Structure formats: C-alpha cells, structure tokens
Amino acid sequence: TLRAANTLSGGESFMVSLALALGLSSLNRNNFTPDTLFIDEGFGTLSGDCLNTVIETLEVLHNIGSRRVGIISHVGELYERISTKIEVRKQAGVSEVKITG
C-alpha cells in the first residue's frame, strides 16, 4: 500500500532506511561497490517479527558473501544470533578489545 513516509513507525522507518542503504550500496559507480556497511542502533525500535526479518536478511547477505555488516547495538537478541562479535570495554582509561566467533 502507498503511504506517506511520516506515517511510518520507528521500526518501519528503520527497515526502509536499511533497504535504501543496501540498495544504494549496490550501485556501481566507477567500478566501486562498497562491501561493508555499519549500522548504529535502530534495532530497539523493531517488533519481534520485524527484528527477525532484519536479522535473517543480514544473515543472507553474510552467507552469500556480498556484504559485511557491522552492527552497533544493545539488543540482546542480536547478541545471541550474531556469531562474530567485537566487544570494546573501557578498562581504567584504556580500551580492551575482544573478538569472538
């Protein structure tokens, strides 16, 4: 259905933004196609079903090898479902980096 953009919920706006970012990143300009995309938050605005759809889409992109997606988030379900993690923790004025997966 056709809707005005200002009627979208927070989760719907996030999904539209993600779709646009992925679409724009696939445009080939001067033989340059970025293969890495970073997403900083927005996952907390998604309902359970929408969050699952977004995670499944990102997993498909990872599995076909066309895009690497870095996610910055506090959403627990993402933490459980994403196997490779980079954790940065502040330790007495310095940062400790831990990579798992």
Side-chain angles (χ1 to χ4, degrees), residues 40 49 89:
D40 184 7
D49 289 341
R89 296 175 191 240

PDB file of all heavy atoms in Angstrom, residues 40 49 89:
ATOM      1  N   ASP A  40      24.324   1.616  13.170  1.00  0.00           N
ATOM      2  CA  ASP A  40      24.425   2.052  14.561  1.00  0.00           C
ATOM      3  C   ASP A  40      23.021   2.233  15.119  1.00  0.00           C
ATOM      4  O   ASP A  40      22.363   3.228  14.856  1.00  0.00           O
ATOM      5  CB  ASP A  40      25.213   3.363  14.642  1.00  0.00           C
ATOM      6  CG  ASP A  40      25.428   3.820  16.070  1.00  0.00           C
ATOM      7  OD1 ASP A  40      25.086   3.072  17.003  1.00  0.00           O
ATOM      8  OD2 ASP A  40      25.952   4.932  16.239  1.00  0.00           O
ATOM      9  N   ASP A  49       8.836  -9.656  15.188  1.00  0.00           N
ATOM     10  CA  ASP A  49       8.801 -10.172  13.817  1.00  0.00           C
ATOM     11  C   ASP A  49       9.687  -9.366  12.883  1.00  0.00           C
ATOM     12  O   ASP A  49      10.408  -9.918  12.060  1.00  0.00           O
ATOM     13  CB  ASP A  49       7.365 -10.181  13.278  1.00  0.00           C
ATOM     14  CG  ASP A  49       6.504 -11.252  13.931  1.00  0.00           C
ATOM     15  OD1 ASP A  49       7.069 -12.207  14.508  1.00  0.00           O
ATOM     16  OD2 ASP A  49       5.266 -11.138  13.855  1.00  0.00           O
ATOM     17  N   ARG A  89      35.547  -2.676  25.642  1.00  0.00           N
ATOM     18  CA  ARG A  89      35.239  -2.338  27.031  1.00  0.00           C
ATOM     19  C   ARG A  89      36.293  -1.384  27.576  1.00  0.00           C
ATOM     20  O   ARG A  89      37.485  -1.565  27.348  1.00  0.00           O
ATOM     21  CB  ARG A  89      35.180  -3.585  27.891  1.00  0.00           C
ATOM     22  CG  ARG A  89      34.063  -4.506  27.481  1.00  0.00           C
ATOM     23  CD  ARG A  89      34.110  -5.783  28.267  1.00  0.00           C
ATOM     24  NE  ARG A  89      33.193  -6.728  27.675  1.00  0.00           N
ATOM     25  CZ  ARG A  89      32.172  -7.257  28.314  1.00  0.00           C
ATOM     26  NH1 ARG A  89      31.957  -6.950  29.583  1.00  0.00           N
ATOM     27  NH2 ARG A  89      31.384  -8.107  27.717  1.00  0.00           N
TER      28      ARG A  89
END
